[in-house]
PDB file of all heavy atoms in Angstrom:
ATOM      1  N   GLY A 492      12.842 -45.773  11.022  1.00  0.00           N
ATOM      2  CA  GLY A 492      13.807 -46.472  10.179  1.00  0.00           C
ATOM      3  C   GLY A 492      14.715 -45.524   9.419  1.00  0.00           C
ATOM      4  O   GLY A 492      15.922 -45.764   9.312  1.00  0.00           O
ATOM      5  N   LEU A 493      14.157 -44.446   8.901  1.00  0.00           N
ATOM      6  CA  LEU A 493      14.977 -43.464   8.183  1.00  0.00           C
ATOM      7  C   LEU A 493      16.023 -42.856   9.117  1.00  0.00           C
ATOM      8  O   LEU A 493      17.186 -42.690   8.745  1.00  0.00           O
ATOM      9  CB  LEU A 493      14.094 -42.373   7.579  1.00  0.00           C
ATOM     10  CG  LEU A 493      13.161 -42.824   6.451  1.00  0.00           C
ATOM     11  CD1 LEU A 493      12.208 -41.703   6.073  1.00  0.00           C
ATOM     12  CD2 LEU A 493      13.957 -43.299   5.243  1.00  0.00           C
ATOM     13  N   THR A 494      15.618 -42.557  10.340  1.00  0.00           N
ATOM     14  CA  THR A 494      16.542 -41.989  11.323  1.00  0.00           C
ATOM     15  C   THR A 494      17.655 -42.973  11.656  1.00  0.00           C
ATOM     16  O   THR A 494      18.842 -42.615  11.655  1.00  0.00           O
ATOM     17  CB  THR A 494      15.779 -41.595  12.611  1.00  0.00           C
ATOM     18  OG1 THR A 494      14.787 -40.620  12.265  1.00  0.00           O
ATOM     19  CG2 THR A 494      16.710 -41.029  13.654  1.00  0.00           C
ATOM     20  N   LEU A 495      17.288 -44.230  11.931  1.00  0.00           N
ATOM     21  CA  LEU A 495      18.296 -45.246  12.248  1.00  0.00           C
ATOM     22  C   LEU A 495      19.225 -45.508  11.070  1.00  0.00           C
ATOM     23  O   LEU A 495      20.430 -45.719  11.252  1.00  0.00           O
ATOM     24  CB  LEU A 495      17.622 -46.548  12.684  1.00  0.00           C
ATOM     25  CG  LEU A 495      16.953 -46.539  14.058  1.00  0.00           C
ATOM     26  CD1 LEU A 495      16.248 -47.875  14.309  1.00  0.00           C
ATOM     27  CD2 LEU A 495      17.956 -46.251  15.156  1.00  0.00           C
ATOM     28  N   ALA A 496      18.681 -45.504   9.860  1.00  0.00           N
ATOM     29  CA  ALA A 496      19.502 -45.747   8.674  1.00  0.00           C
ATOM     30  C   ALA A 496      20.582 -44.677   8.543  1.00  0.00           C
ATOM     31  O   ALA A 496      21.751 -44.996   8.288  1.00  0.00           O
ATOM     32  CB  ALA A 496      18.623 -45.788   7.422  1.00  0.00           C
ATOM     33  N   GLU A 497      20.210 -43.422   8.726  1.00  0.00           N
ATOM     34  CA  GLU A 497      21.191 -42.341   8.635  1.00  0.00           C
ATOM     35  C   GLU A 497      22.210 -42.401   9.761  1.00  0.00           C
ATOM     36  O   GLU A 497      23.387 -42.106   9.576  1.00  0.00           O
ATOM     37  CB  GLU A 497      20.491 -40.984   8.661  1.00  0.00           C
ATOM     38  CG  GLU A 497      19.920 -40.593   7.319  1.00  0.00           C
ATOM     39  CD  GLU A 497      19.475 -39.153   7.301  1.00  0.00           C
ATOM     40  OE1 GLU A 497      18.378 -38.866   7.822  1.00  0.00           O
ATOM     41  OE2 GLU A 497      20.227 -38.307   6.761  1.00  0.00           O
ATOM     42  N   GLN A 498      21.764 -42.794  10.934  1.00  0.00           N
ATOM     43  CA  GLN A 498      22.638 -42.831  12.104  1.00  0.00           C
ATOM     44  C   GLN A 498      23.633 -43.994  12.051  1.00  0.00           C
ATOM     45  O   GLN A 498      24.805 -43.830  12.383  1.00  0.00           O
ATOM     46  CB  GLN A 498      21.784 -42.924  13.365  1.00  0.00           C
ATOM     47  CG  GLN A 498      22.568 -42.881  14.658  1.00  0.00           C
ATOM     48  CD  GLN A 498      21.661 -42.894  15.874  1.00  0.00           C
ATOM     49  OE1 GLN A 498      20.440 -42.899  15.774  1.00  0.00           O
ATOM     50  NE2 GLN A 498      22.270 -42.910  17.037  1.00  0.00           N
ATOM     51  N   TYR A 499      23.174 -45.184  11.638  1.00  0.00           N
ATOM     52  CA  TYR A 499      23.992 -46.392  11.734  1.00  0.00           C
ATOM     53  C   TYR A 499      24.536 -46.913  10.407  1.00  0.00           C
ATOM     54  O   TYR A 499      25.374 -47.816  10.410  1.00  0.00           O
ATOM     55  CB  TYR A 499      23.207 -47.503  12.438  1.00  0.00           C
ATOM     56  CG  TYR A 499      22.980 -47.207  13.899  1.00  0.00           C
ATOM     57  CD1 TYR A 499      21.767 -46.703  14.337  1.00  0.00           C
ATOM     58  CD2 TYR A 499      23.989 -47.416  14.840  1.00  0.00           C
ATOM     59  CE1 TYR A 499      21.550 -46.422  15.678  1.00  0.00           C
ATOM     60  CE2 TYR A 499      23.787 -47.144  16.180  1.00  0.00           C
ATOM     61  CZ  TYR A 499      22.564 -46.636  16.589  1.00  0.00           C
ATOM     62  OH  TYR A 499      22.366 -46.348  17.909  1.00  0.00           O
ATOM     63  N   LEU A 500      24.049 -46.405   9.279  1.00  0.00           N
ATOM     64  CA  LEU A 500      24.507 -46.829   7.953  1.00  0.00           C
ATOM     65  C   LEU A 500      24.599 -48.348   7.835  1.00  0.00           C
ATOM     66  O   LEU A 500      25.680 -48.924   7.709  1.00  0.00           O
ATOM     67  CB  LEU A 500      25.855 -46.183   7.615  1.00  0.00           C
ATOM     68  CG  LEU A 500      25.878 -44.651   7.636  1.00  0.00           C
ATOM     69  CD1 LEU A 500      27.290 -44.139   7.410  1.00  0.00           C
ATOM     70  CD2 LEU A 500      24.899 -44.053   6.638  1.00  0.00           C
ATOM     71  N   PRO A 501      23.447 -49.030   7.875  1.00  0.00           N
ATOM     72  CA  PRO A 501      23.447 -50.496   7.805  1.00  0.00           C
ATOM     73  C   PRO A 501      23.976 -51.001   6.467  1.00  0.00           C
ATOM     74  O   PRO A 501      24.018 -50.265   5.478  1.00  0.00           O
ATOM     75  CB  PRO A 501      21.972 -50.847   7.984  1.00  0.00           C
ATOM     76  CG  PRO A 501      21.236 -49.636   7.513  1.00  0.00           C
ATOM     77  CD  PRO A 501      22.102 -48.469   7.877  1.00  0.00           C
ATOM     78  N   ASP A 502      24.341 -52.272   6.464  1.00  0.00           N
ATOM     79  CA  ASP A 502      24.835 -52.912   5.240  1.00  0.00           C
ATOM     80  C   ASP A 502      23.693 -53.303   4.310  1.00  0.00           C
ATOM     81  O   ASP A 502      23.883 -53.416   3.101  1.00  0.00           O
ATOM     82  CB  ASP A 502      25.661 -54.147   5.598  1.00  0.00           C
ATOM     83  CG  ASP A 502      26.885 -53.765   6.419  1.00  0.00           C
ATOM     84  OD1 ASP A 502      27.681 -52.943   5.941  1.00  0.00           O
ATOM     85  OD2 ASP A 502      27.023 -54.282   7.541  1.00  0.00           O
ATOM     86  N   VAL A 503      22.528 -53.554   4.875  1.00  0.00           N
ATOM     87  CA  VAL A 503      21.336 -53.883   4.098  1.00  0.00           C
ATOM     88  C   VAL A 503      20.117 -53.427   4.904  1.00  0.00           C
ATOM     89  O   VAL A 503      20.135 -53.458   6.137  1.00  0.00           O
ATOM     90  CB  VAL A 503      21.256 -55.395   3.749  1.00  0.00           C
ATOM     91  CG1 VAL A 503      21.125 -56.249   4.990  1.00  0.00           C
ATOM     92  CG2 VAL A 503      20.134 -55.694   2.767  1.00  0.00           C
ATOM     93  N   ILE A 504      19.082 -52.984   4.190  1.00  0.00           N
ATOM     94  CA  ILE A 504      17.844 -52.534   4.827  1.00  0.00           C
ATOM     95  C   ILE A 504      16.709 -53.411   4.329  1.00  0.00           C
ATOM     96  O   ILE A 504      16.504 -53.550   3.120  1.00  0.00           O
ATOM     97  CB  ILE A 504      17.550 -51.056   4.506  1.00  0.00           C
ATOM     98  CG1 ILE A 504      18.695 -50.171   5.035  1.00  0.00           C
ATOM     99  CG2 ILE A 504      16.201 -50.625   5.095  1.00  0.00           C
ATOM    100  CD1 ILE A 504      18.666 -48.739   4.556  1.00  0.00           C
ATOM    101  N   LEU A 505      15.991 -54.016   5.273  1.00  0.00           N
ATOM    102  CA  LEU A 505      14.804 -54.814   4.959  1.00  0.00           C
ATOM    103  C   LEU A 505      13.601 -53.933   5.257  1.00  0.00           C
ATOM    104  O   LEU A 505      13.458 -53.427   6.362  1.00  0.00           O
ATOM    105  CB  LEU A 505      14.774 -56.082   5.812  1.00  0.00           C
ATOM    106  CG  LEU A 505      16.023 -56.963   5.753  1.00  0.00           C
ATOM    107  CD1 LEU A 505      15.887 -58.139   6.705  1.00  0.00           C
ATOM    108  CD2 LEU A 505      16.286 -57.426   4.337  1.00  0.00           C
ATOM    109  N   MET A 506      12.731 -53.771   4.266  1.00  0.00           N
ATOM    110  CA  MET A 506      11.658 -52.784   4.345  1.00  0.00           C
ATOM    111  C   MET A 506      10.293 -53.428   4.140  1.00  0.00           C
ATOM    112  O   MET A 506      10.023 -53.965   3.064  1.00  0.00           O
ATOM    113  CB  MET A 506      11.897 -51.730   3.258  1.00  0.00           C
ATOM    114  CG  MET A 506      10.840 -50.671   3.149  1.00  0.00           C
ATOM    115  SD  MET A 506      10.934 -49.414   4.431  1.00  0.00           S
ATOM    116  CE  MET A 506      12.461 -48.587   3.994  1.00  0.00           C
ATOM    117  N   ASP A 507       9.451 -53.355   5.167  1.00  0.00           N
ATOM    118  CA  ASP A 507       8.050 -53.730   4.994  1.00  0.00           C
ATOM    119  C   ASP A 507       7.419 -52.677   4.087  1.00  0.00           C
ATOM    120  O   ASP A 507       7.729 -51.490   4.194  1.00  0.00           O
ATOM    121  CB  ASP A 507       7.353 -53.778   6.359  1.00  0.00           C
ATOM    122  CG  ASP A 507       5.905 -54.231   6.273  1.00  0.00           C
ATOM    123  OD1 ASP A 507       5.540 -54.902   5.298  1.00  0.00           O
ATOM    124  OD2 ASP A 507       5.147 -53.915   7.205  1.00  0.00           O
ATOM    125  N   ILE A 508       6.542 -53.085   3.201  1.00  0.00           N
ATOM    126  CA  ILE A 508       5.915 -52.139   2.279  1.00  0.00           C
ATOM    127  C   ILE A 508       4.731 -51.423   2.926  1.00  0.00           C
ATOM    128  O   ILE A 508       4.563 -50.223   2.760  1.00  0.00           O
ATOM    129  CB  ILE A 508       5.454 -52.858   0.985  1.00  0.00           C
ATOM    130  CG1 ILE A 508       6.654 -53.448   0.242  1.00  0.00           C
ATOM    131  CG2 ILE A 508       4.668 -51.926   0.082  1.00  0.00           C
ATOM    132  CD1 ILE A 508       7.648 -52.445  -0.262  1.00  0.00           C
ATOM    133  N   ASN A 509       3.921 -52.155   3.663  1.00  0.00           N
ATOM    134  CA  ASN A 509       2.706 -51.583   4.247  1.00  0.00           C
ATOM    135  C   ASN A 509       2.930 -51.217   5.708  1.00  0.00           C
ATOM    136  O   ASN A 509       2.966 -52.086   6.558  1.00  0.00           O
ATOM    137  CB  ASN A 509       1.544 -52.573   4.130  1.00  0.00           C
ATOM    138  CG  ASN A 509       1.224 -52.890   2.693  1.00  0.00           C
ATOM    139  OD1 ASN A 509       1.125 -51.997   1.867  1.00  0.00           O
ATOM    140  ND2 ASN A 509       1.082 -54.161   2.385  1.00  0.00           N
ATOM    141  N   MET A 510       3.065 -49.903   5.940  1.00  0.00           N
ATOM    142  CA  MET A 510       3.240 -49.413   7.304  1.00  0.00           C
ATOM    143  C   MET A 510       2.324 -48.211   7.507  1.00  0.00           C
ATOM    144  O   MET A 510       1.986 -47.518   6.548  1.00  0.00           O
ATOM    145  CB  MET A 510       4.696 -49.046   7.560  1.00  0.00           C
ATOM    146  CG  MET A 510       5.579 -50.273   7.658  1.00  0.00           C
ATOM    147  SD  MET A 510       7.274 -49.877   8.029  1.00  0.00           S
ATOM    148  CE  MET A 510       7.788 -49.132   6.499  1.00  0.00           C
ATOM    149  N   PRO A 511       1.933 -47.954   8.739  1.00  0.00           N
ATOM    150  CA  PRO A 511       0.926 -46.916   8.981  1.00  0.00           C
ATOM    151  C   PRO A 511       1.400 -45.481   8.766  1.00  0.00           C
ATOM    152  O   PRO A 511       0.629 -44.649   8.309  1.00  0.00           O
ATOM    153  CB  PRO A 511       0.521 -47.135  10.435  1.00  0.00           C
ATOM    154  CG  PRO A 511       1.637 -47.900  11.046  1.00  0.00           C
ATOM    155  CD  PRO A 511       2.271 -48.693   9.939  1.00  0.00           C
ATOM    156  N   ASP A 512       2.664 -45.169   9.055  1.00  0.00           N
ATOM    157  CA  ASP A 512       3.077 -43.763   9.001  1.00  0.00           C
ATOM    158  C   ASP A 512       3.512 -43.327   7.606  1.00  0.00           C
ATOM    159  O   ASP A 512       3.249 -42.211   7.186  1.00  0.00           O
ATOM    160  CB  ASP A 512       4.164 -43.474  10.032  1.00  0.00           C
ATOM    161  CG  ASP A 512       5.457 -44.254   9.786  1.00  0.00           C
ATOM    162  OD1 ASP A 512       5.398 -45.344   9.183  1.00  0.00           O
ATOM    163  OD2 ASP A 512       6.513 -43.775  10.228  1.00  0.00           O
ATOM    164  N   MET A 513       4.187 -44.193   6.894  1.00  0.00           N
ATOM    165  CA  MET A 513       4.696 -43.900   5.552  1.00  0.00           C
ATOM    166  C   MET A 513       4.927 -45.247   4.903  1.00  0.00           C
ATOM    167  O   MET A 513       5.527 -46.120   5.521  1.00  0.00           O
ATOM    168  CB  MET A 513       6.026 -43.127   5.663  1.00  0.00           C
ATOM    169  CG  MET A 513       6.748 -42.946   4.347  1.00  0.00           C
ATOM    170  SD  MET A 513       8.473 -42.339   4.552  1.00  0.00           S
ATOM    171  CE  MET A 513       8.248 -40.780   5.366  1.00  0.00           C
ATOM    172  N   ASP A 514       4.452 -45.428   3.692  1.00  0.00           N
ATOM    173  CA  ASP A 514       4.645 -46.761   3.119  1.00  0.00           C
ATOM    174  C   ASP A 514       6.111 -46.967   2.745  1.00  0.00           C
ATOM    175  O   ASP A 514       6.887 -46.022   2.608  1.00  0.00           O
ATOM    176  CB  ASP A 514       3.666 -47.047   1.982  1.00  0.00           C
ATOM    177  CG  ASP A 514       4.007 -46.414   0.645  1.00  0.00           C
ATOM    178  OD1 ASP A 514       5.194 -46.262   0.316  1.00  0.00           O
ATOM    179  OD2 ASP A 514       3.067 -46.089  -0.088  1.00  0.00           O
ATOM    180  N   GLY A 515       6.468 -48.234   2.625  1.00  0.00           N
ATOM    181  CA  GLY A 515       7.852 -48.591   2.367  1.00  0.00           C
ATOM    182  C   GLY A 515       8.384 -48.090   1.043  1.00  0.00           C
ATOM    183  O   GLY A 515       9.587 -47.899   0.891  1.00  0.00           O
ATOM    184  N   LEU A 516       7.502 -47.857   0.076  1.00  0.00           N
ATOM    185  CA  LEU A 516       7.947 -47.340  -1.222  1.00  0.00           C
ATOM    186  C   LEU A 516       8.440 -45.906  -1.084  1.00  0.00           C
ATOM    187  O   LEU A 516       9.498 -45.552  -1.598  1.00  0.00           O
ATOM    188  CB  LEU A 516       6.817 -47.438  -2.247  1.00  0.00           C
ATOM    189  CG  LEU A 516       6.256 -48.848  -2.477  1.00  0.00           C
ATOM    190  CD1 LEU A 516       5.120 -48.810  -3.479  1.00  0.00           C
ATOM    191  CD2 LEU A 516       7.343 -49.809  -2.916  1.00  0.00           C
ATOM    192  N   VAL A 517       7.678 -45.083  -0.377  1.00  0.00           N
ATOM    193  CA  VAL A 517       8.084 -43.691  -0.143  1.00  0.00           C
ATOM    194  C   VAL A 517       9.351 -43.658   0.711  1.00  0.00           C
ATOM    195  O   VAL A 517      10.280 -42.883   0.439  1.00  0.00           O
ATOM    196  CB  VAL A 517       6.940 -42.886   0.512  1.00  0.00           C
ATOM    197  CG1 VAL A 517       7.406 -41.499   0.914  1.00  0.00           C
ATOM    198  CG2 VAL A 517       5.746 -42.806  -0.427  1.00  0.00           C
ATOM    199  N   ALA A 518       9.406 -44.515   1.722  1.00  0.00           N
ATOM    200  CA  ALA A 518      10.593 -44.569   2.572  1.00  0.00           C
ATOM    201  C   ALA A 518      11.825 -44.971   1.760  1.00  0.00           C
ATOM    202  O   ALA A 518      12.914 -44.407   1.945  1.00  0.00           O
ATOM    203  CB  ALA A 518      10.369 -45.546   3.725  1.00  0.00           C
ATOM    204  N   THR A 519      11.664 -45.923   0.843  1.00  0.00           N
ATOM    205  CA  THR A 519      12.781 -46.339  -0.005  1.00  0.00           C
ATOM    206  C   THR A 519      13.237 -45.192  -0.898  1.00  0.00           C
ATOM    207  O   THR A 519      14.446 -44.957  -1.042  1.00  0.00           O
ATOM    208  CB  THR A 519      12.391 -47.565  -0.848  1.00  0.00           C
ATOM    209  OG1 THR A 519      12.087 -48.645   0.041  1.00  0.00           O
ATOM    210  CG2 THR A 519      13.511 -47.980  -1.791  1.00  0.00           C
ATOM    211  N   GLN A 520      12.288 -44.476  -1.484  1.00  0.00           N
ATOM    212  CA  GLN A 520      12.652 -43.327  -2.317  1.00  0.00           C
ATOM    213  C   GLN A 520      13.426 -42.297  -1.502  1.00  0.00           C
ATOM    214  O   GLN A 520      14.395 -41.703  -1.991  1.00  0.00           O
ATOM    215  CB  GLN A 520      11.398 -42.697  -2.922  1.00  0.00           C
ATOM    216  CG  GLN A 520      10.743 -43.571  -3.962  1.00  0.00           C
ATOM    217  CD  GLN A 520       9.374 -43.063  -4.379  1.00  0.00           C
ATOM    218  OE1 GLN A 520       8.672 -42.390  -3.621  1.00  0.00           O
ATOM    219  NE2 GLN A 520       8.987 -43.386  -5.601  1.00  0.00           N
ATOM    220  N   THR A 521      13.020 -42.090  -0.257  1.00  0.00           N
ATOM    221  CA  THR A 521      13.709 -41.150   0.623  1.00  0.00           C
ATOM    222  C   THR A 521      15.124 -41.642   0.920  1.00  0.00           C
ATOM    223  O   THR A 521      16.086 -40.865   0.874  1.00  0.00           O
ATOM    224  CB  THR A 521      12.915 -40.965   1.938  1.00  0.00           C
ATOM    225  OG1 THR A 521      11.585 -40.537   1.602  1.00  0.00           O
ATOM    226  CG2 THR A 521      13.569 -39.955   2.847  1.00  0.00           C
ATOM    227  N   LEU A 522      15.277 -42.931   1.222  1.00  0.00           N
ATOM    228  CA  LEU A 522      16.599 -43.499   1.477  1.00  0.00           C
ATOM    229  C   LEU A 522      17.531 -43.309   0.287  1.00  0.00           C
ATOM    230  O   LEU A 522      18.722 -43.032   0.457  1.00  0.00           O
ATOM    231  CB  LEU A 522      16.489 -44.991   1.795  1.00  0.00           C
ATOM    232  CG  LEU A 522      15.949 -45.371   3.159  1.00  0.00           C
ATOM    233  CD1 LEU A 522      15.613 -46.860   3.201  1.00  0.00           C
ATOM    234  CD2 LEU A 522      16.947 -45.017   4.257  1.00  0.00           C
ATOM    235  N   ARG A 523      17.010 -43.477  -0.906  1.00  0.00           N
ATOM    236  CA  ARG A 523      17.825 -43.387  -2.115  1.00  0.00           C
ATOM    237  C   ARG A 523      18.359 -41.975  -2.344  1.00  0.00           C
ATOM    238  O   ARG A 523      19.300 -41.781  -3.106  1.00  0.00           O
ATOM    239  CB  ARG A 523      17.030 -43.860  -3.343  1.00  0.00           C
ATOM    240  CG  ARG A 523      16.792 -45.356  -3.332  1.00  0.00           C
ATOM    241  CD  ARG A 523      18.098 -46.080  -3.491  1.00  0.00           C
ATOM    242  NE  ARG A 523      17.952 -47.522  -3.417  1.00  0.00           N
ATOM    243  CZ  ARG A 523      18.774 -48.309  -2.766  1.00  0.00           C
ATOM    244  NH1 ARG A 523      19.803 -47.824  -2.118  1.00  0.00           N
ATOM    245  NH2 ARG A 523      18.607 -49.598  -2.748  1.00  0.00           N
ATOM    246  N   GLN A 524      17.771 -40.985  -1.686  1.00  0.00           N
ATOM    247  CA  GLN A 524      18.227 -39.600  -1.836  1.00  0.00           C
ATOM    248  C   GLN A 524      19.288 -39.218  -0.801  1.00  0.00           C
ATOM    249  O   GLN A 524      19.815 -38.112  -0.834  1.00  0.00           O
ATOM    250  CB  GLN A 524      17.034 -38.658  -1.762  1.00  0.00           C
ATOM    251  CG  GLN A 524      16.083 -38.871  -2.923  1.00  0.00           C
ATOM    252  CD  GLN A 524      14.857 -38.002  -2.852  1.00  0.00           C
ATOM    253  OE1 GLN A 524      14.835 -36.987  -2.173  1.00  0.00           O
ATOM    254  NE2 GLN A 524      13.812 -38.391  -3.565  1.00  0.00           N
ATOM    255  N   ILE A 525      19.604 -40.126   0.106  1.00  0.00           N
ATOM    256  CA  ILE A 525      20.629 -39.877   1.123  1.00  0.00           C
ATOM    257  C   ILE A 525      21.947 -40.416   0.571  1.00  0.00           C
ATOM    258  O   ILE A 525      22.082 -41.632   0.377  1.00  0.00           O
ATOM    259  CB  ILE A 525      20.261 -40.571   2.455  1.00  0.00           C
ATOM    260  CG1 ILE A 525      18.920 -40.042   2.970  1.00  0.00           C
ATOM    261  CG2 ILE A 525      21.376 -40.388   3.484  1.00  0.00           C
ATOM    262  CD1 ILE A 525      18.335 -40.839   4.124  1.00  0.00           C
ATOM    263  N   PRO A 526      22.912 -39.542   0.277  1.00  0.00           N
ATOM    264  CA  PRO A 526      24.139 -39.998  -0.392  1.00  0.00           C
ATOM    265  C   PRO A 526      24.824 -41.188   0.273  1.00  0.00           C
ATOM    266  O   PRO A 526      25.244 -42.114  -0.420  1.00  0.00           O
ATOM    267  CB  PRO A 526      25.032 -38.747  -0.371  1.00  0.00           C
ATOM    268  CG  PRO A 526      24.065 -37.610  -0.374  1.00  0.00           C
ATOM    269  CD  PRO A 526      22.897 -38.086   0.474  1.00  0.00           C
ATOM    270  N   ALA A 527      24.923 -41.207   1.585  1.00  0.00           N
ATOM    271  CA  ALA A 527      25.624 -42.300   2.271  1.00  0.00           C
ATOM    272  C   ALA A 527      24.888 -43.629   2.166  1.00  0.00           C
ATOM    273  O   ALA A 527      25.467 -44.679   2.424  1.00  0.00           O
ATOM    274  CB  ALA A 527      25.833 -41.938   3.745  1.00  0.00           C
ATOM    275  N   LEU A 528      23.603 -43.594   1.767  1.00  0.00           N
ATOM    276  CA  LEU A 528      22.799 -44.815   1.674  1.00  0.00           C
ATOM    277  C   LEU A 528      22.381 -45.136   0.242  1.00  0.00           C
ATOM    278  O   LEU A 528      21.660 -46.106   0.018  1.00  0.00           O
ATOM    279  CB  LEU A 528      21.546 -44.684   2.548  1.00  0.00           C
ATOM    280  CG  LEU A 528      21.806 -44.530   4.047  1.00  0.00           C
ATOM    281  CD1 LEU A 528      20.542 -44.092   4.764  1.00  0.00           C
ATOM    282  CD2 LEU A 528      22.327 -45.828   4.624  1.00  0.00           C
TER     283      LEU A 528
END
């Protein structure tokens, strides 16, 4: 999801919180640090 978000710059991101590789909270924090997102 992080890769696709950077590549396609969606208008809105829907994020499941509980995921096996990285939880949605950490992923959201990471997204917030990407200037374009």
Side-chain angles (χ1 to χ4, degrees):
L493 293 172
T494 300
L495 288 176
E497 279 191 281
Q498 184 177 358
Y499 291 100
L500 302 175
D502 298 303
V503 64
I504 299 169
L505 306 177
M506 177 77 68
D507 183 23
I508 297 296
N509 298 313
M510 288 183 289
D512 63 333
M513 171 192 300
D514 78 33
L516 302 178
V517 173
T519 298
Q520 291 170 333
T521 304
L522 286 167
R523 290 293 177 222
Q524 295 177 20
I525 300 169
L528 297 167

